[in-house]
Amino acid sequence: MIALIILLVLIAIVLLVMLDLYTAKKYFSTHAFERTFDQTSGDAAFYHDGEPLFDQLLTDIHHASSSIHMMFFIVKNDDIGQRILQALKTKAEQGVSVFLLTDRLGSYPFDQKSIDMLEKSGIQFYFLNKPRFPFLIYRLNMRNHRKITVIDGKIGYIGGFNIGDEYVGKKGRFGIWKDYHLRMTGQVVADLQHVFLNDLYRSSGIHQLQYEVFPALEPGTLQCTTRATAGFSLEALFLRDIQQARQQITICTPYFIPSAPLLKALLEARTRGVTVEIIIPMKADHPLVKEAGFHYLKDLIASGCLVYRFYKGFYHSKAILIDHSRCIISTANFDKRSLFLNEEVDVAIDDAAFTAHVEEKIREHIEVSELMTEEKFKQRPLFTRPLEWVGAMFSYFL
């Protein structure tokens, strides 16, 4: 009798979770902020190491004169976090309008004492995507994974780095940390500003700021398209990128858990002679993500796709290169969580010279990666096989 009651309770919980996810998906399909902006122009500096990126960010913060808009998935209260937060406090005390947004679960250790200290200096701090009813289960999983900074409305940052010591390679567990980020100027910065302001409004209700946040911007030399997604349109965008490829596809991602249509598109690309490269880390920073990825790699490797596992530290980079002429730098992983749950943003740059610059650095990272052949794939430990099955089963939430 007790066993039957337990079974019925478990069934009821599963049904409630499914109902929550189904109804929330329908609701957010009409309320989520997703937008592909018109192609515009700008200029970009490409960063692949945390130290120079944060040094430049701190310099730009120091020179800010009117506004600093900063949004990260994770902000840690460690050495690099304190350097950034102290710089923001100094500017706020000087009268610069400073907004700091961070995901509620991504930055869950951020305590009220730290928030009070920030707000006392004049920083306006808000958590993004607080879990609440209705749709509690869905909201727990729908994370704002965007990383955007806009300074004086003229300088924009977007990419994969969060704020924390591990992102500059100061955590022994991961060692060297590889990520990709852009510092942008020109007209494209206005699009990043629009994404930030929309997230600010949804988290705070602020919809009309009292200072100039859209200054006149000069055209740049690169053709840029900003794409903000929230779990509904990213798969279609990636499919279009892949299906347009005629020569080469390079995917850089820490978590490779593609949807069935994306996996099919990559296999079809190989049949039409496209070179497909996938760079993933050898280490894992979350349970089951590496094992779940193995589930999808077998057919790709058999079809001739080149799968590289970066072993000199941790590879957290998020980029897609198409035909040596299109470079997409993103906050999104090539996984189902980014495709169907997270709020993400990327910038697609259509420029052969800039793409070659990014590709040159990717080639250096491939040099310290292991090519996973069919033979090596077969030699993976036997105990990982059940974990691959479990990972694939729960891949939507990894």
Side-chain angles (χ1 to χ4, degrees), residues 39-50:
Q39 189 177 71
T40 186
S41 67
D43 290 295
F46 174 64
Y47 289 87
H48 52 85
D49 285 315

Side-chain angles (χ1 to χ4, degrees), residues 121-136:
S121 71
I123 294 173
Q124 298 195 61
F125 176 90
Y126 296 96
F127 279 123
L128 296 163
N129 292 13
K130 293 181 180 179
R132 58 184 174 85
F133 292 100
F135 316 128
L136 178 62

Side-chain angles (χ1 to χ4, degrees), residues 71-75 100-112 114-115 118-119 124-131 143-144 199-204:
M71 170 169 57
F72 280 92
F73 177 60
I74 295 172
V75 177
L100 175 61
L101 313 180
T102 185
D103 184 82
R104 186 62 189 94
L105 295 190
S107 295
Y108 70 89
F110 220 79
D111 58 22
Q112 191 59 47
S114 300
I115 295 169
L118 295 177
E119 293 179 337
Q124 298 195 61
F125 176 90
Y126 296 96
F127 279 123
L128 296 163
N129 292 13
K130 293 181 180 179
R143 308 316 326 145
N144 191 309
D199 286 357
L200 173 64
Y201 171 69
R202 291 187 295 119
S203 62
S204 69

